[in-house]
Amino acid sequence: MSDMTYSEFIDKLASNSPAPGGGGAAALCGAIGTALGNMVGSLTVGKKKYIDVEDLMQELKTRCDKLQAEFLELINEDAECFLPLAAAYRLPKDTPEEIAARDAELERCSCIACSVPIKIMEKCAQAMDIIEIFALKGSTMAVSDAGCGMIICKAAMQAASLNVFINTKDMKDRAQAESFNAKVRELLYIYESKADNIFEMVSNKLTGRKKKEYPFEADMLMQ
């Protein structure tokens, strides 16, 4: 699916096809947000003003290149992992034996279907850590792109989280379900705040509002 044109992907997403769905859309958004951050690095390298962070920018750009490719792979992987779950819901349930077999298959496929959205969230977290540095140390001419990249990755992470929660809510193995949910909530707790802080910082810079003190900024600039 990552090889589709934009129009083909959007049309497929809007159709009644089980895939791509929210997970694939989240992965695509993650790739877009990461690429926006990467653009800040591209506009920073080679500039005399930023010679002190040249090596850092190059390193971060390499990491972003890898993340972008991984996000695109996750579009396909999400579809591959979700389709068996969609098929499991269509299994017969006319006899106790069929019901038991269907329940077991739904449980197995639900666990698999949770795996990719969690991967997407983890990749978003990696991207947001990088974009934070781009926002603080990259070209000020592209700071808006860092802010855009950050909030798009935040949206991708939130979208992916819902694709975990919808699968865990009916799982019979509640210990496993809560393990997935705890991982998701931890990532949201850390990275929603990080994204909001960067968004506010960038917005203030662009609008000329009085700058508040950002507790993360001093530590980041010392690295």
PDB file of all heavy atoms in Angstrom, residues 97-115:
ATOM      1  N   GLU A  97     -18.748 -25.479  19.694  1.00  0.00           N
ATOM      2  CA  GLU A  97     -17.391 -25.715  19.201  1.00  0.00           C
ATOM      3  C   GLU A  97     -16.934 -24.584  18.287  1.00  0.00           C
ATOM      4  O   GLU A  97     -15.787 -24.120  18.369  1.00  0.00           O
ATOM      5  CB  GLU A  97     -17.329 -27.049  18.450  1.00  0.00           C
ATOM      6  CG  GLU A  97     -17.512 -28.288  19.298  1.00  0.00           C
ATOM      7  CD  GLU A  97     -18.971 -28.529  19.675  1.00  0.00           C
ATOM      8  OE1 GLU A  97     -19.866 -27.934  19.024  1.00  0.00           O
ATOM      9  OE2 GLU A  97     -19.205 -29.300  20.624  1.00  0.00           O
ATOM     10  N   GLU A  98     -17.835 -24.152  17.424  1.00  0.00           N
ATOM     11  CA  GLU A  98     -17.499 -23.049  16.524  1.00  0.00           C
ATOM     12  C   GLU A  98     -17.278 -21.760  17.306  1.00  0.00           C
ATOM     13  O   GLU A  98     -16.368 -20.977  16.983  1.00  0.00           O
ATOM     14  CB  GLU A  98     -18.616 -22.851  15.492  1.00  0.00           C
ATOM     15  CG  GLU A  98     -18.663 -23.938  14.426  1.00  0.00           C
ATOM     16  CD  GLU A  98     -19.824 -23.741  13.459  1.00  0.00           C
ATOM     17  OE1 GLU A  98     -20.735 -22.937  13.761  1.00  0.00           O
ATOM     18  OE2 GLU A  98     -19.817 -24.383  12.396  1.00  0.00           O
ATOM     19  N   ILE A  99     -18.075 -21.544  18.317  1.00  0.00           N
ATOM     20  CA  ILE A  99     -17.924 -20.335  19.145  1.00  0.00           C
ATOM     21  C   ILE A  99     -16.576 -20.346  19.848  1.00  0.00           C
ATOM     22  O   ILE A  99     -15.867 -19.325  19.887  1.00  0.00           O
ATOM     23  CB  ILE A  99     -19.067 -20.230  20.169  1.00  0.00           C
ATOM     24  CG1 ILE A  99     -20.391 -19.940  19.453  1.00  0.00           C
ATOM     25  CG2 ILE A  99     -18.773 -19.135  21.192  1.00  0.00           C
ATOM     26  CD1 ILE A  99     -21.613 -20.016  20.356  1.00  0.00           C
ATOM     27  N   ALA A 100     -16.202 -21.510  20.411  1.00  0.00           N
ATOM     28  CA  ALA A 100     -14.910 -21.618  21.102  1.00  0.00           C
ATOM     29  C   ALA A 100     -13.749 -21.393  20.146  1.00  0.00           C
ATOM     30  O   ALA A 100     -12.783 -20.681  20.477  1.00  0.00           O
ATOM     31  CB  ALA A 100     -14.798 -22.988  21.768  1.00  0.00           C
ATOM     32  N   ALA A 101     -13.843 -21.968  18.949  1.00  0.00           N
ATOM     33  CA  ALA A 101     -12.771 -21.806  17.957  1.00  0.00           C
ATOM     34  C   ALA A 101     -12.681 -20.354  17.496  1.00  0.00           C
ATOM     35  O   ALA A 101     -11.587 -19.802  17.324  1.00  0.00           O
ATOM     36  CB  ALA A 101     -13.025 -22.731  16.772  1.00  0.00           C
ATOM     37  N   ARG A 102     -13.850 -19.739  17.302  1.00  0.00           N
ATOM     38  CA  ARG A 102     -13.877 -18.336  16.879  1.00  0.00           C
ATOM     39  C   ARG A 102     -13.291 -17.435  17.955  1.00  0.00           C
ATOM     40  O   ARG A 102     -12.501 -16.529  17.658  1.00  0.00           O
ATOM     41  CB  ARG A 102     -15.310 -17.926  16.570  1.00  0.00           C
ATOM     42  CG  ARG A 102     -15.487 -16.481  16.099  1.00  0.00           C
ATOM     43  CD  ARG A 102     -16.956 -16.233  15.771  1.00  0.00           C
ATOM     44  NE  ARG A 102     -17.193 -14.877  15.307  1.00  0.00           N
ATOM     45  CZ  ARG A 102     -17.454 -13.841  16.102  1.00  0.00           C
ATOM     46  NH1 ARG A 102     -17.501 -14.021  17.429  1.00  0.00           N
ATOM     47  NH2 ARG A 102     -17.660 -12.637  15.582  1.00  0.00           N
ATOM     48  N   ASP A 103     -13.664 -17.663  19.206  1.00  0.00           N
ATOM     49  CA  ASP A 103     -13.140 -16.850  20.305  1.00  0.00           C
ATOM     50  C   ASP A 103     -11.622 -16.964  20.417  1.00  0.00           C
ATOM     51  O   ASP A 103     -10.927 -15.963  20.645  1.00  0.00           O
ATOM     52  CB  ASP A 103     -13.787 -17.269  21.621  1.00  0.00           C
ATOM     53  CG  ASP A 103     -15.234 -16.807  21.742  1.00  0.00           C
ATOM     54  OD1 ASP A 103     -15.659 -15.977  20.912  1.00  0.00           O
ATOM     55  OD2 ASP A 103     -15.932 -17.289  22.660  1.00  0.00           O
ATOM     56  N   ALA A 104     -11.119 -18.199  20.255  1.00  0.00           N
ATOM     57  CA  ALA A 104      -9.672 -18.411  20.338  1.00  0.00           C
ATOM     58  C   ALA A 104      -8.946 -17.690  19.208  1.00  0.00           C
ATOM     59  O   ALA A 104      -7.880 -17.078  19.407  1.00  0.00           O
ATOM     60  CB  ALA A 104      -9.357 -19.901  20.307  1.00  0.00           C
ATOM     61  N   GLU A 105      -9.530 -17.736  18.019  1.00  0.00           N
ATOM     62  CA  GLU A 105      -8.907 -17.071  16.874  1.00  0.00           C
ATOM     63  C   GLU A 105      -8.985 -15.554  17.009  1.00  0.00           C
ATOM     64  O   GLU A 105      -8.030 -14.839  16.668  1.00  0.00           O
ATOM     65  CB  GLU A 105      -9.589 -17.522  15.585  1.00  0.00           C
ATOM     66  CG  GLU A 105      -8.985 -16.956  14.298  1.00  0.00           C
ATOM     67  CD  GLU A 105      -7.558 -17.401  14.017  1.00  0.00           C
ATOM     68  OE1 GLU A 105      -7.018 -18.218  14.783  1.00  0.00           O
ATOM     69  OE2 GLU A 105      -6.985 -16.931  13.018  1.00  0.00           O
ATOM     70  N   LEU A 106     -10.087 -15.057  17.524  1.00  0.00           N
ATOM     71  CA  LEU A 106     -10.206 -13.614  17.758  1.00  0.00           C
ATOM     72  C   LEU A 106      -9.171 -13.141  18.765  1.00  0.00           C
ATOM     73  O   LEU A 106      -8.570 -12.075  18.595  1.00  0.00           O
ATOM     74  CB  LEU A 106     -11.617 -13.273  18.255  1.00  0.00           C
ATOM     75  CG  LEU A 106     -12.729 -13.214  17.210  1.00  0.00           C
ATOM     76  CD1 LEU A 106     -14.085 -13.083  17.882  1.00  0.00           C
ATOM     77  CD2 LEU A 106     -12.505 -12.061  16.238  1.00  0.00           C
ATOM     78  N   GLU A 107      -8.952 -13.921  19.797  1.00  0.00           N
ATOM     79  CA  GLU A 107      -7.969 -13.549  20.816  1.00  0.00           C
ATOM     80  C   GLU A 107      -6.567 -13.502  20.217  1.00  0.00           C
ATOM     81  O   GLU A 107      -5.806 -12.554  20.436  1.00  0.00           O
ATOM     82  CB  GLU A 107      -8.014 -14.557  21.967  1.00  0.00           C
ATOM     83  CG  GLU A 107      -7.200 -14.151  23.171  1.00  0.00           C
ATOM     84  CD  GLU A 107      -7.881 -13.105  24.036  1.00  0.00           C
ATOM     85  OE1 GLU A 107      -9.048 -12.738  23.749  1.00  0.00           O
ATOM     86  OE2 GLU A 107      -7.251 -12.620  24.996  1.00  0.00           O
ATOM     87  N   ARG A 108      -6.248 -14.549  19.452  1.00  0.00           N
ATOM     88  CA  ARG A 108      -4.920 -14.607  18.824  1.00  0.00           C
ATOM     89  C   ARG A 108      -4.715 -13.440  17.862  1.00  0.00           C
ATOM     90  O   ARG A 108      -3.683 -12.760  17.898  1.00  0.00           O
ATOM     91  CB  ARG A 108      -4.766 -15.933  18.073  1.00  0.00           C
ATOM     92  CG  ARG A 108      -3.386 -16.171  17.468  1.00  0.00           C
ATOM     93  CD  ARG A 108      -3.364 -17.441  16.640  1.00  0.00           C
ATOM     94  NE  ARG A 108      -4.063 -17.271  15.384  1.00  0.00           N
ATOM     95  CZ  ARG A 108      -3.511 -16.744  14.279  1.00  0.00           C
ATOM     96  NH1 ARG A 108      -2.257 -16.315  14.298  1.00  0.00           N
ATOM     97  NH2 ARG A 108      -4.217 -16.626  13.171  1.00  0.00           N
ATOM     98  N   CYS A 109      -5.703 -13.191  17.028  1.00  0.00           N
ATOM     99  CA  CYS A 109      -5.578 -12.138  16.018  1.00  0.00           C
ATOM    100  C   CYS A 109      -5.612 -10.737  16.643  1.00  0.00           C
ATOM    101  O   CYS A 109      -4.983  -9.815  16.124  1.00  0.00           O
ATOM    102  CB  CYS A 109      -6.682 -12.273  14.982  1.00  0.00           C
ATOM    103  SG  CYS A 109      -6.521 -13.738  13.942  1.00  0.00           S
ATOM    104  N   SER A 110      -6.325 -10.587  17.746  1.00  0.00           N
ATOM    105  CA  SER A 110      -6.364  -9.288  18.427  1.00  0.00           C
ATOM    106  C   SER A 110      -4.982  -8.912  18.949  1.00  0.00           C
ATOM    107  O   SER A 110      -4.563  -7.749  18.856  1.00  0.00           O
ATOM    108  CB  SER A 110      -7.365  -9.313  19.577  1.00  0.00           C
ATOM    109  OG  SER A 110      -8.688  -9.423  19.102  1.00  0.00           O
ATOM    110  N   CYS A 111      -4.278  -9.890  19.507  1.00  0.00           N
ATOM    111  CA  CYS A 111      -2.915  -9.635  19.988  1.00  0.00           C
ATOM    112  C   CYS A 111      -2.010  -9.202  18.840  1.00  0.00           C
ATOM    113  O   CYS A 111      -1.221  -8.262  18.969  1.00  0.00           O
ATOM    114  CB  CYS A 111      -2.352 -10.886  20.659  1.00  0.00           C
ATOM    115  SG  CYS A 111      -3.053 -11.238  22.271  1.00  0.00           S
ATOM    116  N   ILE A 112      -2.133  -9.904  17.724  1.00  0.00           N
ATOM    117  CA  ILE A 112      -1.315  -9.566  16.553  1.00  0.00           C
ATOM    118  C   ILE A 112      -1.669  -8.175  16.037  1.00  0.00           C
ATOM    119  O   ILE A 112      -0.796  -7.371  15.693  1.00  0.00           O
ATOM    120  CB  ILE A 112      -1.501 -10.622  15.447  1.00  0.00           C
ATOM    121  CG1 ILE A 112      -0.963 -11.981  15.911  1.00  0.00           C
ATOM    122  CG2 ILE A 112      -0.803 -10.186  14.155  1.00  0.00           C
ATOM    123  CD1 ILE A 112      -1.277 -13.124  14.976  1.00  0.00           C
ATOM    124  N   ALA A 113      -2.968  -7.871  16.004  1.00  0.00           N
ATOM    125  CA  ALA A 113      -3.422  -6.577  15.483  1.00  0.00           C
ATOM    126  C   ALA A 113      -2.961  -5.417  16.357  1.00  0.00           C
ATOM    127  O   ALA A 113      -2.829  -4.286  15.875  1.00  0.00           O
ATOM    128  CB  ALA A 113      -4.941  -6.574  15.355  1.00  0.00           C
ATOM    129  N   CYS A 114      -2.723  -5.678  17.642  1.00  0.00           N
ATOM    130  CA  CYS A 114      -2.231  -4.627  18.537  1.00  0.00           C
ATOM    131  C   CYS A 114      -0.760  -4.314  18.307  1.00  0.00           C
ATOM    132  O   CYS A 114      -0.289  -3.212  18.637  1.00  0.00           O
ATOM    133  CB  CYS A 114      -2.406  -5.048  19.998  1.00  0.00           C
ATOM    134  SG  CYS A 114      -4.105  -4.989  20.604  1.00  0.00           S
ATOM    135  N   SER A 115      -0.032  -5.266  17.760  1.00  0.00           N
ATOM    136  CA  SER A 115       1.427  -5.136  17.698  1.00  0.00           C
ATOM    137  C   SER A 115       1.885  -3.985  16.806  1.00  0.00           C
ATOM    138  O   SER A 115       2.809  -3.251  17.173  1.00  0.00           O
ATOM    139  CB  SER A 115       2.056  -6.449  17.221  1.00  0.00           C
ATOM    140  OG  SER A 115       1.657  -6.764  15.888  1.00  0.00           O
TER     141      SER A 115
END
